[in-house]
Amino acid sequence: MSLLRVENVVKFFGGLMAVGNVSFDVPEGCVYGLIGPNGAGKTTVFNLITGNYKLNKGNIVFKGENITGMLTPRVVALGIARTFQNIRLFSNMSVLENVLAGYHCRMKSGALAAMLRLPKQRAEERRAIGKAIAELRFVGLEAEAENLARNLSYGNQRLLEIARALASDPALIILDEPAGGMNEYETTALVDLIERIRARGITVMLIEHDMSLVMRACEYIVVLEHGKKIAEGSPEVIKADPKVIEAYLGSDDDEI
Amino acid sequence: MEQFFTQLTNGLAVGGIYALIALGYTMVYGVLKLINFAHGDLFTIGAYLGLTLLASLGLTGNVGTAGGIFFLVLMVMGLVGVIGILLDRAAYKPLRTSPRLSAVVSALGASIVFSNTIMLVYGPSPRVYPQGLLPTHVFYVFGLPVPIMRIIILATSLVLMIGLYLFIQKTRTGTAIRAAAIDQGAARLMGINVDRVIMLVFFIGPALGGAAGVMVGLHYGQINFTMGWIYGLKAFTAAILGGIGNIPGAMVGGLLLGVIESMGAAYISNAWKDAIAFFVLILILIIRPTGLLGERVAEKI
Amino acid sequence: MSVSGNNIRIGLYAAVAVCWVAAPFFLDNYQTDVLNNIAIYALLGLSLNIILGYGGMFHMGHAAFFAIGAYTTAIMNTSWGIPVLWLLPLSGITAGVFALVVARPIIHLRGDYLLIVTIGMVEIVRIALVNNIFGITGGPNGIFGIASPQVFGYPINGIVHPAHYFYLLTVFIAFTIAVFYLLEHSRYGRALKYLCSDSVAAEGSGIDTSGYKLSAFVIGAFWAGMVGNLYAGKITFISPESFSFWESVVMFMIVILGGAGSIPGVLLGAILIIGLPEFFQELQQYRLLIFGIALVAMMIFRPQGVLPPKPHTYPVDKIDEKEVAL
Amino acid sequence: MKKIVLMLIAATFLFAGPAVSAETIKIGLMCPLTGSWASEGKDMRQIVELLAGQVNEQGGLLGKEVEIVVADDGGDPRTAALAAQRLASRGIVGVIGTYGSSVTEASQNIYAATNTLQIANGSTSVRLTEKGLPYFFRTCPRDDEQGRVAVKSMLEKGYKRIAILHDSTTYAKGLAEEARGLLADEAAEIVFFDALTPGEQDYTTILTQIRRDNPDVVFFTGYYPEAGMLLRQKMEMGLDVPFIGGDANNNPDLVKIAGTRAAEGFRFLSPPVPQDLPSPVAQDFLAAYIEKYGQAPGSIWAVLAGDGFRVLAKAIEETNSTETEAIADYLKNELQAFPGLTGMIDFDQKGDRIGDVYRVYEVDADGNFILQK
């Protein structure tokens, strides 16, 4: 059964069609790639899934529930977490606090419980800190817990975003160019991390320009061009697809 | 019906002044994203400087009324523009990289300094412009009286607005200002002297406020040291109503605010006038969150 | 900050607290009353800090909530003789409900647009009070003859004995600081800081930003309403002039000057903004001029506020290894 | 930063202490030196300081020098409450001031609680003396009397359709409502009753409405800056309706703002100004004031503050005491027909000034205020 189903999704910006009638199924437990030249509408598809943008037509179904038009926080609570193409961390807050943000939707204590410092609230705080440390350890940033997020290196900031997303205990994690700005060594570690994420039972979806990473990490790939799906299949199939090759050759700044 | 049109012109007359002050507000905001709460006081300074110059230079005697007023407005614009640049240097420039609200508090401090300085220099009593300088001719349009001064004020606001708009849209310097408004860092990389742009903006904005001050003084006669606060707030409201940072928006917002006020006062209640105006403003912003002509910038995620 | 730095800081706070509590013994009624004014505005600043400091919302209409609390107390006390302190929660609730109703449609406005709307809100409230809305606010005269509050049957008269009121206010401040400190360092306070820092990222992390913004407004308004109650009980006479737009500006300046999001900063901001003009009384008509210059100078000198917030440290080392679990 | 904190703590303790000196007699003056009413406060201070100087030249009071302790009330209630606490803890014999009823009201409780004598000068709201405060006096008359005089004067002129315009301040709305109440029993109709927003420049909207309602007279109960603007714009609009104003219009700046042509024929109520009183006290004061400050005092309310000082000085002399109780008792029971700068002064048991104080003034073609007999 598919975890996420995108059905005939259409999105216009003004008069411009950014996504046109795109459909695909993401099966549970896989690493799923979304590729395409610049401006193909990949990030827009992500933003539609997570509710950052409202779609004009189509349906998005997650775990059998129609999440079309649902607000982002509810989508996250249902189990879709994401990272951003241009890193968006809470830069003046500590690394630990950044991860706590992800766990936020799994906590319950409100303002009143905090003001009264109820035992339940305190226990929950401890649990949250424990969870955050565990996630930082998972991505290898435990030592940086007390640092401010803005003081991390570029690659570590990407890892921190992943840790923050993981802290929300998602069923599906959406990574928007996770290797952007990473060196080769870091990229290799990232492939390993993605594998470990999947080993936790979390389905991974990613947008990436680094084709070697995509081919290594993904089991299934969808290719978009000009907002339309032009191909899908296993990495081997995609590599051989003439339409894909043409799409990439047509644009001069990407390579396959 | 006659009542309605008279109130409409009443509203447009007040709105023209709001628009003129709002132009300066919006100009500074456009480039620096700074809410210059001292702008209203620059307007007051303009009014007082105009009075001083008028009394000491005897301008109207030497070059005729129209010419005298023209020179008077130019001189006040120059002086208030320079004060604007000094204000920027002293109170805002050191806060360029700080949180935006810090500059707001600095602006409020500057506003207190300006209004109290005016009070100490000119005394706390209202001051009065000499009368009879301006034409008092009244036109009749379809039998409705329209004093010529109202036409002059509206025309001046309109001319300044169009001039400013063309300057921003069509000249090289204007392009530099627009570039700096969009992204200062990028503008700098493109070789634009952003500091000069900011200085220019801090000259033009306050200069427009100063011009409005002289016009209020000439037209209404009475000026006082606290008037800048009220006018400043109204102009800020007008600028937001039209979409802050947008030059035609300031004009539309100013005129509309004037009309809303006079219509609200005339047909609902004078005592509730300002409350009605704010209520309409809130309704408009609920429907159009970035003002009437403000662009909705979809945030790139 | 190092451990010793922390200790120095805590020591300093303790010293200031001791000075504060002991101050009335060394001061005359006027000076104590200046402290009372500082206390009232410190409380208002702390309540505004929830909205403006943590939440980062440009809110310049806080006097509206203050006014609603004060008028609730004044009306209920003078009409039905309900003791002032019993009305403390009710004053907060009235202001909170008002905030809920008013803020809901405007909460999505950004930055400067929210600023002008909140200014409009405080002006509408003031004009409504002046025009004797519902026939209960007394119009421009306001309401006089509000009783002094009583604690265990002992009257606390803010006029005859400013020192008595001082301790009432101090107890409330201590309570407020404690509660807001806990709030700041909780899931709730963090959520506000997240949305202030980057609302898109906060939403993407599952934080319902508009819900939190709205609730911050309600909590801030609730507290300001309670301060309104204490203000009415202190001065025993309220009129619309006490709740003008300028009062909102004063609260705004307290938070930003002191350090947005910092409890010690807001307290110091209240001391500076309310205390300095009194300190310059001898200068008579020059006092506001000097105050204005001081304001600009302080902002230039410390653009982030005089005491900006310190990053919070979490008890990471106190977390048991067992609790570190995915 | 620690330095700042420490400095502040030090500063808190450094507020000039309540140094009670036996050498001088301290009299408080509470007046608006900042804010919208700063011009009133400036006049008040100049007059009271002038009079105190004269007393000191003649040897002071009870052989001691008089010292005026000034506190700025900023024209707003909160600042006024602080100013009152400040003066009350400065060992003063009594306090003169202030301008504005709601500002005075905010200070009344504090002076009452500290047994401080207060002589207000520009606070005409009726209820201030209806609270039964034993040590509160005022040299200005009350709004109910003013309302009576205004209504009488309008009816005498035969006006039937009356417009009442106020500015939503305590004073102006109170006076407007007094007049409305009194007119209810008369053969006149109120065709317009509304408020303008003070501090603005353009009142054509409200004047257009007044023209529509076509009254015989407009009673404006607000302050002179707005009155001046109304008169001026009324003329520019060609609206020909007589205006009558309340006592807050007695300020020569009114004519400056309106222009003599527009102001001509404007009538207002006011206690008599020193210029119109033939008494030597008033003439001497006027001469001394003009000599020192170069012009006649702008505001009658400031002159009333001078009268407050003079009755207080008189009471201290006569009772040979600085006790509040004794002075209040003297002012209520013994002071009779004291020659003030604004006419004879007597107080009743409430602390109100007795007698027909109000006069009607009219502006003549040269912009002078002419007392109507």
Side-chain angles (χ1 to χ4, degrees):
Chain A
M1 180 204 141
S2 65
L3 178 69
L4 177 79
R5 203 163 70 239
V6 174
E7 294 173 349
N8 308 322
V9 163
V10 178
K11 174 69 187 174
F12 284 97
F13 287 119
L16 189 83
M17 190 172 71
V19 178
N21 218 20
V22 168
S23 304
F24 56 83
D25 276 10
V26 182
E28 196 162 350
C30 77
V31 178
Y32 201 92
L34 192 58
I35 65 169
N38 279 341
K42 305 177 298 280
T43 298
T44 307
V45 169
F46 274 14
N47 282 330
L48 291 171
I49 295 170
T50 53
N52 289 90
Y53 292 162
K54 301 266 161 289
L55 38 73
N56 296 96
K57 260 192 212 142
N59 279 310
I60 297 169
V61 179
F62 177 68
K63 286 198 213 159
E65 188 174 343
N66 192 338
I67 60 167
T68 316
M70 201 179 263
L71 293 175
T72 310
R74 284 219 37 217
V75 174
V76 177
L78 280 177
I80 304 180
R82 72 171 295 178
T83 66
F84 294 90
Q85 186 179 358
N86 317 306
I87 300 174
R88 299 192 85 126
L89 289 166
F90 309 113
S91 51
N92 276 327
M93 297 172 83
S94 72
V95 167
L96 187 81
E97 280 179 302
N98 269 276
V99 183
L100 285 172
Y103 193 57
H104 183 90
C105 60
R106 305 292 165 222
M107 297 167 78
K108 291 199 170 55
S109 307
L112 207 60
M115 287 174 166
L116 300 174
R117 204 164 160 71
L118 298 177
K120 235 168 81 184
Q121 184 256 349
R122 288 158 62 189
E124 191 184 64
E125 275 291 299
R126 286 179 73 90
R127 213 162 51 240
I129 295 169
K131 165 80 174 170
I133 294 172
E135 292 296 355
L136 284 173
R137 189 174 292 170
F138 184 77
V139 300
L141 285 178
E142 193 186 356
E144 308 279 359
E146 308 242 306
N147 245 337
L148 289 187
R150 62 154 185 248
N151 295 341
L152 294 188
S153 72
Y154 208 70
N156 280 350
Q157 292 195 358
R158 291 240 179 250
L159 292 179
L160 176 54
E161 270 209 319
I162 294 173
R164 181 175 70 187
L166 286 172
S168 69
D169 286 335
L172 170 67
I173 186 168
I174 296 180
L175 307 176
D176 199 341
E177 296 193 28
M182 282 188 176
N183 59 31
E184 210 166 311
Y185 172 77
E186 287 170 325
T187 308
T188 311
L190 181 67
V191 175
D192 174 55
L193 178 64
I194 291 170
E195 189 44 48
R196 285 192 291 127
I197 292 172
R198 192 184 44 172
R200 277 170 65 177
I202 300 169
T203 309
V204 180
M205 244 190 114
L206 60 89
I207 293 176
E208 193 44 71
H209 280 295
D210 183 337
M211 282 306 141
S212 70
L213 182 140
V214 174
M215 295 305 161
R216 268 188 289 166
C218 298
E219 294 151 84
Y220 200 83
I221 294 169
V222 168
V223 188
L224 293 185
E225 190 195 12
H226 301 310
K228 298 235 159 66
K229 185 170 81 178
I230 56 167
E232 62 181 311
S234 65
E236 289 71 31
V237 175
I238 294 298
K239 263 189 228 173
D241 192 315
K243 273 196 284 186
V244 177
I245 294 166
E246 194 195 339
Y248 272 86
L249 290 178
S251 72
D252 45 18
D253 53 1
D254 288 294
E255 65 208 71
I256 193 159
Chain B
M1 213 54 201
E2 185 196 326
Q3 181 81 10
F4 176 82
F5 280 108
T6 313
Q7 295 293 20
L8 189 68
T9 57
N10 290 342
L12 287 174
V14 181
I17 306 237
Y18 292 162
L20 200 47
I21 310 172
L23 280 179
Y25 230 117
T26 232
M27 176 110 193
V28 168
Y29 183 91
V31 173
L32 286 165
K33 305 287 171 288
L34 165 76
I35 310 163
N36 183 7
F37 269 107
H39 188 68
D41 297 286
L42 292 167
F43 155 85
T44 318
I45 290 176
Y48 274 89
L49 281 179
L51 179 62
T52 307
L53 291 175
L54 202 57
S56 59
L57 298 181
L59 274 177
T60 50
N62 294 334
V63 283
T65 307
I69 288 174
F70 182 72
F71 280 117
L72 177 73
V73 171
L74 278 189
M75 283 166 72
V76 169
M77 285 178 80
L79 285 172
V80 178
V82 170
I83 294 173
I85 292 173
L86 294 177
L87 166 70
D88 176 51
R89 284 288 149 88
Y92 303 146
K93 199 169 184 208
L95 296 168
R96 220 65 103 204
T97 54
S98 314
R100 285 185 52 204
L101 293 180
S102 305
V104 170
V105 171
S106 191
L108 288 164
S111 167
I112 296 174
V113 171
F114 279 146
S115 62
N116 281 279
T117 307
I118 299 168
M119 181 187 95
L120 292 169
V121 173
Y122 289 94
S125 313
R127 297 295 292 262
V128 178
Y129 266 62
Q131 291 195 320
L133 281 178
L134 296 177
T136 49
H137 187 77
V138 178
F139 285 112
Y140 285 88
V141 183
F142 302 117
L144 293 170
V146 182
I148 190 167
M149 260 322 285
R150 293 196 164 171
I151 298 171
I152 293 177
I153 288 185
L154 265 182
T156 315
S157 303
L158 214 60
V159 165
L160 283 171
M161 192 276 282
I162 293 169
L164 196 60
Y165 186 74
L166 292 178
F167 172 68
I168 299 282
Q169 295 294 333
K170 303 284 180 203
T171 64
R172 259 182 79 84
T173 320
T175 312
I177 292 176
R178 276 184 293 145
I182 294 165
D183 188 332
Q184 285 190 19
R188 214 167 249 131
L189 289 177
M190 300 305 289
I192 293 170
N193 186 339
V194 174
D195 289 328
R196 279 242 330 260
V197 167
I198 290 172
M199 205 166 99
L200 187 67
V201 164
F202 258 105
F203 183 84
I204 298 174
L208 290 171
V214 180
M215 283 171 61
V216 162
L218 286 168
H219 180 44
Y220 292 112
Q222 183 247 109
I223 55 175
N224 61 68
F225 75 99
T226 54
M227 70 178 182
W229 182 246
I230 296 175
Y231 272 106
L233 188 59
K234 291 282 164 71
F236 180 39
T237 310
I240 290 271
L241 188 59
I244 193 156
N246 181 309
I247 287 171
M251 193 75 198
V252 170
L255 293 177
L256 190 64
L257 183 65
V259 172
I260 293 170
E261 281 189 2
S262 87
M263 290 299 164
Y267 293 102
I268 305 174
S269 159
N270 280 292
W272 286 82
K273 185 190 75 175
D274 285 358
I276 296 163
F278 276 122
F279 187 71
V280 173
L281 168 84
I282 293 171
L283 283 186
I284 290 175
L285 288 184
I286 288 173
I287 298 162
R288 281 198 64 95
T290 49
L292 292 172
L293 301 187
E295 289 145 43
R296 291 172 197 231
V297 195
E299 194 168 1
K300 183 153 169 52
I301 297 166
Chain C
M1 176 164 291
S2 65
V3 177
S4 70
N6 252 332
N7 285 344
I8 290 172
R9 191 147 55 92
I10 289 165
L12 191 69
Y13 290 159
V16 171
V18 169
C19 288
W20 175 266
V21 171
F25 292 101
F26 305 98
L27 300 177
D28 66 23
N29 278 350
Y30 158 65
Q31 292 154 341
T32 309
D33 210 39
V34 171
L35 296 188
N36 281 342
N37 269 274
I38 290 173
I40 295 263
Y41 280 84
L43 285 165
L44 289 169
L46 287 173
S47 69
L48 177 61
N49 190 34
I50 303 269
I51 304 168
L52 175 64
Y54 304 143
M57 287 170 273
F58 291 14
H59 171 38
M60 217 185 239
H62 211 50
F65 306 139
F66 180 44
I68 287 171
Y71 268 87
T72 304
T73 299
I75 292 165
M76 302 295 265
N77 177 266
T78 55
S79 309
W80 289 296
I82 305 172
V84 168
L85 283 186
W86 289 16
L87 292 167
L88 190 65
L90 183 69
S91 302
I93 289 167
T94 326
V97 169
F98 176 79
L100 187 66
V101 173
V102 171
R104 190 179 277 280
I106 61 170
I107 205 76
H108 64 285
L109 291 176
R110 277 216 292 262
D112 316 296
Y113 294 91
L114 187 63
L115 189 80
I116 195 75
V117 164
T118 52
I119 291 172
M121 174 186 75
V122 73
E123 276 296 278
I124 291 173
V125 166
R126 187 188 61 82
I127 292 169
L129 295 174
V130 167
N131 286 299
N132 200 6
I133 191 168
F134 312 131
I136 51 173
T137 68
N141 290 335
I143 296 172
F144 66 99
I146 305 160
S148 291
Q150 294 197 338
V151 177
F152 304 118
Y154 180 78
I156 311 280
N157 191 321
I159 290 163
V160 189
H161 300 295
H164 293 181
Y165 221 88
F166 173 85
Y167 288 107
L168 177 67
L169 289 172
T170 299
V171 167
F172 194 70
I173 288 188
F175 171 67
T176 305
I177 293 173
V179 163
F180 283 6
Y181 178 86
L182 293 175
L183 194 64
E184 181 185 336
H185 300 122
S186 72
R187 170 178 181 262
Y188 184 86
R190 278 198 304 271
L192 291 183
K193 286 190 261 179
Y194 295 141
L195 73 88
C196 174
S197 168
D198 182 337
S199 66
V200 171
E203 292 238 324
S205 308
I207 289 153
D208 169 18
T209 52
S210 42
Y212 273 97
K213 283 180 180 177
L214 194 59
S215 68
F217 252 94
V218 171
I219 292 177
F222 176 80
W223 226 266
M226 292 204 291
V227 184
N229 167 282
L230 292 172
Y231 176 76
K234 171 182 176 293
I235 199 154
T236 72
F237 155 72
I238 56 169
S239 70
E241 285 161 74
S242 308
F243 308 101
S244 64
F245 166 47
W246 182 250
E247 294 298 312
S248 300
V249 172
V250 167
M251 297 173 206
F252 187 90
M253 292 195 294
I254 286 173
V255 174
I256 302 297
L257 177 84
S262 151
I263 290 175
V266 171
L267 298 174
L268 182 60
I271 292 174
L272 291 172
I273 299 270
I274 303 300
L276 276 187
E278 290 306 316
F279 193 55
F280 296 143
Q281 265 280 0
E282 303 295 338
L283 299 170
Q284 300 188 1
Q285 71 267 40
Y286 297 97
R287 71 194 186 112
L288 286 185
L289 176 68
I290 305 290
F291 173 67
I293 293 170
L295 206 56
V296 175
M298 282 189 288
M299 280 334 293
I300 293 170
F301 179 55
R302 301 214 31 117
Q304 316 286 328
V306 184
L307 287 177
K310 294 258 179 290
H312 183 52
T313 46
Y314 287 82
V316 177
D317 40 353
K318 291 202 190 108
I319 299 290
D320 213 49
E321 196 53 34
K322 286 202 300 277
E323 290 173 287
V324 179
L326 287 174
Chain D
M1 168 129 24
K2 278 165 216 151
K3 260 193 225 150
I4 300 173
V5 176
L6 290 174
M7 264 164 55
L8 273 166
I9 297 165
T12 316
F13 289 97
L14 271 174
F15 285 104
V20 183
S21 157
E23 304 306 317
T24 60
I25 286 188
K26 291 187 179 181
I27 291 176
L29 172 66
M30 183 164 96
C31 58
L33 291 173
T34 55
S36 314
W37 300 118
S39 61
E40 295 289 340
K42 186 182 164 198
D43 280 2
M44 284 168 70
R45 203 186 61 185
Q46 288 185 349
I47 288 176
V48 171
E49 282 177 350
L50 171 75
L51 292 169
Q54 288 175 350
V55 168
N56 286 336
E57 274 170 28
Q58 287 154 19
L61 289 175
L62 309 180
K64 295 176 192 166
E65 187 152 311
V66 176
E67 183 189 339
I68 302 295
V69 185
V70 185
D72 174 21
D73 63 46
D76 83 87
R78 187 180 65 84
T79 316
L82 272 179
Q85 287 285 8
R86 179 181 170 84
L87 288 176
S89 52
R90 285 292 180 280
I92 53 167
V93 178
V95 64
I96 316 293
T98 184
Y99 186 76
S101 293
S102 58
V103 186
T104 302
E105 184 146 26
S107 69
Q108 265 187 321
N109 290 340
I110 294 159
Y111 292 128
T114 50
N115 290 338
T116 306
L117 188 92
Q118 180 179 19
I119 307 179
N121 59 305
S123 321
T124 53
S125 174
V126 173
R127 70 171 192 231
L128 295 179
T129 44
E130 295 295 330
K131 299 172 173 173
L133 299 174
Y135 307 131
F136 180 79
F137 295 85
R138 56 179 155 193
T139 49
C140 57
R142 304 194 334 177
D143 287 340
D144 49 355
E145 197 205 330
Q146 189 184 176
R148 255 193 311 279
V149 178
V151 167
K152 200 175 109 211
S153 140
M154 286 190 284
L155 294 174
E156 273 172 6
K157 285 265 178 184
Y159 297 134
K160 295 278 181 255
R161 296 169 61 81
I162 293 169
I164 298 178
L165 181 59
H166 64 91
D167 67 3
S168 287
T169 58
T170 305
Y171 154 75
K173 193 173 186 189
L175 178 55
E177 278 172 352
E178 284 292 339
R180 175 157 71 170
L182 289 166
L183 281 167
D185 307 330
E186 304 289 344
E189 188 192 352
I190 295 174
V191 296
F192 180 90
F193 188 96
D194 209 335
L196 54 74
T197 309
E200 294 188 337
Q201 309 271 9
D202 195 317
Y203 294 116
T204 48
T205 297
I206 211 155
L207 288 168
T208 305
Q209 281 176 282
I210 288 173
R211 164 147 58 193
R212 179 197 59 197
D213 293 334
N214 191 28
D216 296 335
V217 67
V218 179
F219 180 31
F220 175 63
T221 62
Y223 294 81
Y224 68 88
E226 285 78 31
M229 298 305 295
L230 284 167
L231 292 172
R232 182 181 170 132
Q233 285 163 21
K234 170 176 87 98
M235 183 186 70
E236 286 170 359
M237 286 171 61
L239 173 62
D240 189 24
V241 57
F243 263 61
I244 180 163
D247 57 16
N249 291 297
N250 188 358
N251 192 311
D253 283 343
L254 175 123
V255 179
K256 278 203 246 160
I257 293 166
T260 43
R261 204 150 65 83
E264 185 187 350
F266 176 65
R267 296 159 72 86
F268 61 85
L269 312 163
S270 172
V273 295
Q275 291 88 320
D276 292 322
L277 289 176
S279 73
V281 188
Q283 293 310 316
D284 289 352
F285 163 74
L286 201 59
Y289 188 91
I290 292 173
E291 190 194 334
K292 184 159 181 189
Y293 300 112
Q295 56 182 18
S299 155
I300 180 66
W301 308 105
V303 180
L304 287 166
D307 267 341
F309 174 81
R310 292 180 67 254
V311 293
L312 182 58
K314 170 83 173 167
I316 293 170
E317 284 278 78
E318 292 295 323
T319 56
N320 195 18
S321 158
T322 55
E323 295 301 316
T324 307
E325 182 76 54
I327 293 171
D329 185 58
Y330 172 83
L331 289 177
K332 280 180 182 169
N333 301 320
E334 288 173 49
L335 184 83
Q336 272 181 354
F338 177 75
L341 307 174
T342 55
M344 293 302 165
I345 300 177
D346 297 87
F347 291 107
D348 65 11
Q349 290 304 314
K350 289 176 182 168
D352 276 322
R353 190 166 167 183
I354 303 175
D356 278 347
V357 186
Y358 277 107
R359 303 284 185 276
V360 177
Y361 278 84
E362 187 169 316
V363 183
D364 73 4
D366 297 324
N368 297 314
F369 294 168
I370 306 300
L371 180 65
Q372 305 294 296
K373 300 296 172 210

